[in-house]
Amino acid sequence: MPDNAFALVSLLSESAKHQVSQLLNELSKELGGSVWVMPNNALHVTLCEIIQAKDYSEDKQELYDRHSSEYENITYEILTTFKPIDVTFDTIEVSPQAIIIKGTDDGSFEKIRKELVDRLPLPSETKMPPNIIHCSIGRFTKKVPLNQVETIVGRHTININETINKFQLINNLTPPLLSYKIIHTYSLL
């Protein structure tokens, strides 16, 4: 379903995509047609959403355009003070809507998110960033017994060491990141 959202994300490396893809192939076989697998080019970690894929009280493109220089320049000022971030994805979790992999870092994500929230003119309708580092890898296409899915997922492990050395400011045209345009790439120093 077409939309117009804006976010700061880190697209997964080819190596991480490969590992997630292997896990998804196994899970997909075991879960049958109840899970929609996230395409490789859409696998990402969200740092901060600016304008989300939901209804806003005004036109989202106009809202972004009004503050675009702040979104781009303040983000640059913040991100260029951080070094590459090592994230270890080692937990697979299930919710009623999705399967995610969770990661941990040295606290950099939390520090960056706090600075972004404090300094960016985020619209009041935008939810605050998550307090976890995660990548959604699959979404459910129908209601499934959660305990059954947890049992299946519990038989699998993941251990991905990902060095995040850049974030992308994207215009997400078809959530969840099926069609997007990279507005700017910010390298960590």
Side-chain angles (χ1 to χ4, degrees):
M1 166 172 161
D3 202 314
N4 194 20
F6 298 87
L8 290 160
V9 305
S10 178
L11 299 168
L12 292 189
S13 67
E14 291 303 317
S15 171
K17 287 180 196 177
H18 177 72
Q19 291 176 69
V20 169
S21 180
Q22 287 180 318
L23 171 66
L24 284 171
N25 286 338
E26 293 171 20
L27 289 175
S28 188
K29 287 176 192 169
E30 293 180 60
L31 294 169
S34 62
V35 68
W36 174 79
V37 172
M38 190 75 94
N40 271 357
N41 70 332
L43 291 169
H44 69 283
V45 178
T46 300
L47 179 64
C48 179
E49 291 181 287
I50 296 170
I51 298 173
Q52 296 170 314
K54 66 178 190 176
D55 290 333
Y56 276 70
S57 59
E58 58 184 294
D59 181 80
K60 292 194 282 186
Q61 186 64 52
E62 289 175 14
L63 188 58
Y64 178 83
D65 290 344
R66 185 166 51 245
H67 297 287
S68 64
S69 65
E70 292 165 281
Y71 295 142
E72 294 168 28
N73 295 329
I74 291 171
T75 299
Y76 174 80
E77 290 171 15
I78 292 169
L79 291 178
T80 56
T81 66
F82 284 85
K83 293 182 173 156
I85 305 165
D86 290 324
V87 176
T88 300
F89 292 97
D90 59 5
T91 305
I92 308 168
E93 287 191 3
V94 178
S95 74
Q97 294 82 29
I99 301 171
I100 67 168
I101 55 172
K102 278 179 51 176
T104 54
D105 73 345
D106 64 357
S108 294
F109 262 76
E110 183 180 337
K111 290 174 189 165
I112 295 169
R113 286 172 172 157
K114 181 178 180 346
E115 284 194 53
L116 290 169
V117 168
D118 288 349
R119 294 184 57 193
L120 290 178
L122 297 175
S124 60
E125 291 113 330
T126 298
K127 291 187 313 185
M128 291 299 102
N131 59 4
I132 62 171
I133 301 168
H134 74 286
C135 175
S136 297
I137 62 171
R139 298 186 186 273
F140 296 110
T141 57
K142 59 186 175 184
K143 191 170 177 146
V144 293
L146 206 52
N147 59 347
Q148 177 187 351
V149 176
E150 288 171 337
T151 299
I152 292 169
V153 168
R155 293 193 294 255
H156 297 271
T157 60
I158 191 104
N159 190 4
I160 298 173
N161 295 306
E162 178 85 333
T163 298
I164 295 177
N165 54 26
K166 62 186 171 188
F167 288 96
Q168 294 83 13
L169 173 59
I170 58 156
N171 181 201
N172 185 5
L173 305 170
T174 313
L177 224 64
L178 298 180
S179 173
Y180 58 89
K181 177 175 72 173
I182 296 175
I183 298 170
H184 201 285
T185 298
Y186 301 95
S187 295
L188 303 181
L189 300 178

